[in-house]
């Protein structure tokens, strides 16, 4: 009741829900409904619910019909049976019209996120996208970057040490060039060899509004840095 009616509550971090309790699904659905109806909630940090229960549907409805949620951090736990959970999140996000910022966090072995990125292609307000953790597949990110309706101005890919080799990086770097509206770009713990450094240089030459560039733990040697220097 407090969450539903509060005029001042703006941020909630909710992980784990009430799994294991006798009435866990009922409690989770009640809280998700309150998140949806809240008019003050602006930031939510949570994880995908356990699949197969009513809370899965409630979660999708919350994403699709939230009144004022602007920033969402969504975690994908390891071992989650991915297809249904990702489908639920994708469906909800595709109908969402309020988000400005989205952070997707991945544990090792979490589900692929291609459907989620595809569902965000025509989002009317989304400005910032952060992919965090064990990020291994970027193949759908190009769909967003090449969309004529994409509003993305901040992109941050922040991987963990020990993550599996990344897929789709070359295409993403190529697609940055025709996306001149970027103002912030982060590539953290993303291996950049000679070819990747060359593609990044070409992209930087075509992003005139860039204000912030984070290159951390990319294995960039002096030769690759020399590739980037003229663009900077």
């Amino acid at each position: 009741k407090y969450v539903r009616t509060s005029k001042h509550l703006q941020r909630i971090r909710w992980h784990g829900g009430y799994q294991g309790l006798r009435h866990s699904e009922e409690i989770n659905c009640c809280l998700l409904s309150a998140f949806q109806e809240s008019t003050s909630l602006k930031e939510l940090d949570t994880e995908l619910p356990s699949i197969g229960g009513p809370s899965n549907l409630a979660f999708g409805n919350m994403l699709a019909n939230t009144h004022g949620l602007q920033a969402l951090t969504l975690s994908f736990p390891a071992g989650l049976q991915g297809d249904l959970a990702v489908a639920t999140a994708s469906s909800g996000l595709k109908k969402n019209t309020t988000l400005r910022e989205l952070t997707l966090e991945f544990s090792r072995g979490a589900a692929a996120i291609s459907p989620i990125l595809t569902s965000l292609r025509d989002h009317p307000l989304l400005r910032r996208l952060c992919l965090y953790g064990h990020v291994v597949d970027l193949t759908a990110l190009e769909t967003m970057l090449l969309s004529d309706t994409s509003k993305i101005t901040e992109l941050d890919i922040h991987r963990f040490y020990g993550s599996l080799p990344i897929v789709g990086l070359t295409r993403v770097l190529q697609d940055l060039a025709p996306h001149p509206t970027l103002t912030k770009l982060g590539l953290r713990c993303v291996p950049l060899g000679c070819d990747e450094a060359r593609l990044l240089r070409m992209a930087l030459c075509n992003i005139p509004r860039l204000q912030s560039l984070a290159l951390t733990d990319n294995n960039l040697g002096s030769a690759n840095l020399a590739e980037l220097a003229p663009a900077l």
Side-chain angles (χ1 to χ4, degrees):
K1 181 179 179 180
Y2 169 70
V3 171
R4 183 177 284 108
T5 61
S6 174
K7 303 300 181 184
H8 304 288
L9 181 65
Q10 295 187 13
R11 185 178 189 276
I12 292 177
R13 186 177 190 274
W14 184 59
H15 280 247
Y18 287 90
Q19 274 105 33
L21 296 183
R22 182 178 177 183
H23 302 297
S24 60
E25 281 293 295
E26 180 181 350
I27 296 172
N28 290 341
C29 288
C30 183
L31 281 173
L32 287 166
S33 176
F35 295 166
Q36 176 180 325
E37 295 177 26
S38 171
T39 57
S40 64
L41 182 62
K42 300 293 187 262
E43 300 180 37
L44 176 62
D45 182 339
T46 187
E47 64 185 23
L48 285 174
S50 297
I51 68 169
S55 60
N56 215 43
L57 179 60
F59 186 78
N61 288 336
M62 184 273 294
L63 292 179
N65 300 300
T66 179
H67 288 287
L69 188 65
Q70 297 182 7
L72 173 65
T73 297
L74 184 57
S75 299
F76 294 73
L80 189 69
Q81 300 179 36
D83 291 344
L84 180 57
V86 168
T88 297
S90 301
S91 176
L93 288 171
K94 187 174 184 178
K95 300 173 184 176
N96 178 276
T97 58
T98 64
L99 284 181
R100 271 76 164 175
E101 303 179 14
L102 176 63
T103 298
L104 303 177
E105 296 187 352
F106 305 95
S107 301
R108 185 182 292 275
I113 57 159
S114 295
I116 289 181
L117 296 179
T118 301
S119 72
L120 294 168
R121 171 174 178 159
D122 298 318
H123 196 285
L125 296 177
L126 189 65
R127 297 292 194 277
R128 181 178 187 273
L129 176 64
C130 176
L131 305 180
Y132 183 80
H134 290 281
V135 183
V136 297
D137 189 356
L138 300 176
T139 52
L141 185 54
E142 62 185 271
T143 302
M144 294 184 63
L145 295 176
L146 294 178
S147 171
D148 293 334
T149 58
S150 174
K151 303 296 193 299
I152 296 293
T153 59
E154 301 180 28
L155 175 63
D156 191 4
I157 302 173
H158 190 161
R159 287 169 25 103
F160 287 170
Y161 284 112
S163 296
L164 295 173
I166 195 166
V167 177
L169 176 61
T170 298
R171 288 299 302 270
V172 168
L173 293 175
Q174 291 173 337
D175 295 337
L176 287 176
H179 198 81
T181 58
L182 278 182
T183 59
K184 295 184 179 182
L185 175 62
L187 298 173
R188 309 167 198 267
C189 206
V190 176
L192 299 176
C194 294
D195 292 339
E196 290 80 14
R198 177 178 54 82
L199 291 172
L200 180 58
R201 175 181 62 80
M202 295 171 61
L204 293 176
C205 288
N206 289 280
I207 308 177
R209 300 180 185 178
L210 194 68
Q211 300 172 5
S212 173
L213 176 64
L215 299 175
T216 306
D217 299 317
N218 303 113
N219 300 325
L220 286 170
S222 57
N224 291 337
L225 288 172
E227 280 279 346
L228 298 177
L232 296 177

